[in-house]
Amino acid sequence: MLNRDTATLDDPVGESLRGSHVHLGRRLGRAAGYLPEVATFSTVSADPDPAEWADLARLLGRGELADLFSCPATPPADWEPVFALGGFQMIWPADGHPGHADAEPDSGIVELGVDDVSEMLELTARTRPGPFWPRTHELGTYLGVRENGALVAMAGERLRPPGWTEISAVCTAPEARGRGHAARLVRALVTRITSRNERPFLHVAEANVHALALYERLGFVIRRRVTFRGFQTP
C-alpha cells in the first residue's frame, strides 16, 4: 500500500522546484519558476509579502506571464489578470490498482524522447491538453502511441512533489479517438509511477467532463477543487 502525505500537493509547483526539478528551475529570494522552455509555472510562498512579489516580477521579467497554477495567493493590484480556470486535483488511491486484469497497458506504447519533440509539440498544439514547450519532456517520462509511424496519442509525467508524480499532457489526435489510447497511456504511467513507490496525481479542467469521467473510471478520485490562474507582470 502506498501512503503519501497529501499536504505536499497543496503547492505542487513549489515542492517540485525545491526537490526533483530544482535543476529545471530558477529562483530569486522565495519566488521561483521553471525555465521558460520547460514550463510557465511559477510560485511564491503561502503568505507572500510585497518584496516577494517584486522578486517574482524581476525573475520573470516585465510584461511576462506569471502562471501561478493552483497557488491561491493574490498578486498586487498592478498585476493584470490573464486567465482563471476552474478545475480539480485528482489522486490515485493508496490501495489502487491500475487497469483491469485483462488490460494490456503497454501494448503498442513507445517511450518518447528528444527526437520526438517536434511531433509532441505538433500533437499538443492540435489537441491543447495544456501548456507544452520544447523542453517540457525533460520533466519526466513521456509515452506515446504511433499509427502508421505518426504520433497520434501521448501522455507523460510533469510535476514531481515528494512521493508523487503528476500525469499530464494526455491527448489524442481527433482521427485516432475512440480507440482507448488515452486509457492505456494513463494506465501505463500509473504502473511506472507506483513501481517507484510513488503515487500518481493529475489535474483536469472542470469543463473537460470527458477527461474527468475517464480518470474516475480508471480509479482516480477528486482530492480538491482548484483554480488555475495567470497574471501579467507589471
Side-chain angles (χ1 to χ4, degrees), residues 118-136:
S118 61
E119 288 182 282
M120 297 166 79
L121 289 168
E122 181 180 1
L123 180 59
T124 53
R126 292 177 63 198
T127 57
R128 300 187 180 279
F132 196 91
W133 308 103
R135 294 181 59 191
T136 299

Side-chain angles (χ1 to χ4, degrees), residues 31-32 42-44 51-61 66 68 79 233:
S42 56
T43 186
V44 290
E52 191 170 345
W53 288 114
D55 282 344
L56 182 58
R58 284 195 296 270
L59 181 69
L60 300 179
L68 295 180
W79 290 52
T233 59

Side-chain angles (χ1 to χ4, degrees), residues 145-217:
V145 175
R146 292 186 176 278
E147 292 183 354
N148 299 318
L151 183 66
V152 297
M154 62 175 274
E157 300 172 351
R158 191 169 63 178
L159 299 178
R160 295 285 302 276
W164 298 82
T165 295
E166 182 194 25
I167 295 175
S168 182
V170 181
C171 58
T172 303
E175 67 273 15
R177 290 173 182 164
R179 300 172 193 171
H181 294 328
R184 290 194 301 119
L185 286 164
V186 172
R187 282 198 299 260
L189 287 168
V190 168
T191 298
R192 288 176 179 235
I193 294 166
T194 55
S195 71
R196 301 195 300 257
N197 199 33
E198 296 178 349
R199 279 175 68 182
F201 74 111
L202 52 82
H203 294 88
V204 59
E206 61 182 344
N208 194 347
V209 293
H210 296 295
L212 180 60
L214 169 64
Y215 299 142
E216 289 181 326
R217 187 166 68 250

